């Protein structure tokens, strides 16, 4: 996912350089997109689910302060800014009847969160 992608970029560097990398990354990063292709239902083909993390001032501060794990909650509430979590993307595809419930449940890393969202959405 987007948060793991940021952590992987930082973790490529030796420990003694990671603070500098966090700072530099927080100034140059614009967005992180994470995507999955899901089986379309009904019918053949695939549909894309996209997680979007935009590097707002708050996200940049989280990167610098080693609090990237908190970015998920910013993504959950950042819809107006254009952000969305993978679970939000999955639920949207399910509501549009482009994928099955079984398909989205097999693709999430946050099952309890997705199940809660489905109950709220009436699914």
């Amino acid at each position: 996912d987007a948060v793991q992608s940021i952590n992987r970029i930082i973790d490529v560097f030796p420990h003694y350089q990671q603070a500098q990398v966090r700072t530099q990354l927080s100034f140059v990063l614009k967005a992180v997109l994470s995507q999955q292709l899901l089986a379309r239902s009904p019918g053949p083909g695939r549909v894309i689910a996209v997680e979007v993390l935009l590097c707002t001032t708050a996200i940049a501060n989280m990167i610098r302060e080693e609090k990237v794990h908190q970015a998920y909650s910013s993504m959950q509430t950042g819809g107006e800014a254009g952000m969305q979590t993978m679970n939000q993307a999955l639920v949207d595809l399910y509501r549009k009847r482009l994928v099955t419930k079984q398909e989205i449940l097999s693709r999430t890393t946050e099952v309890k969160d997705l199940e809660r969202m489905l109950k709220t959405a009436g699914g």
Side-chain angles (χ1 to χ4, degrees):
D1 63 17
V3 171
Q4 290 174 345
S5 296
I6 292 170
N7 286 330
R8 280 195 301 269
I9 291 168
I10 295 165
D11 288 344
V12 167
F13 294 89
H15 184 70
Y16 66 90
Q17 289 181 329
Q18 289 182 1
Q20 178 184 358
V21 169
R22 284 180 197 285
T23 300
Q24 289 175 331
L25 190 60
S26 73
F27 287 117
V28 300
L29 190 68
K30 299 298 178 203
V32 179
L33 304 176
S34 179
Q35 58 190 23
Q36 296 186 57
L37 288 174
L38 288 75
R40 179 183 293 272
S41 179
R46 303 249 180 227
V47 292
I48 191 167
V50 181
E51 180 175 74
V52 180
L53 181 142
L54 300 176
C55 196
T56 62
T57 303
I59 299 293
N61 287 334
M62 289 176 201
I63 294 170
R64 280 192 298 275
E65 296 171 8
E66 296 185 51
K67 297 180 180 178
V68 179
H69 61 279
Q70 295 175 358
Y72 188 77
S73 61
S74 293
M75 291 169 60
Q76 287 175 311
T77 59
E80 287 184 16
M83 290 196 249
Q84 78 174 1
T85 65
M86 183 57 72
N87 277 352
Q88 289 168 332
L90 293 171
V91 168
D92 184 53
L93 292 172
Y94 176 70
R95 281 187 193 146
K96 292 176 180 174
R97 298 182 179 181
L98 295 172
V99 294
T100 65
K101 186 175 181 179
Q102 180 180 356
E103 178 72 2
I104 65 171
L105 285 169
S106 72
R107 297 306 191 101
T108 185
T109 57
E110 302 286 336
V111 176
K112 291 192 185 306
D113 180 52
L114 182 64
E115 289 173 342
R116 179 193 54 77
M117 292 172 72
L118 288 170
K119 285 180 185 173
T120 303

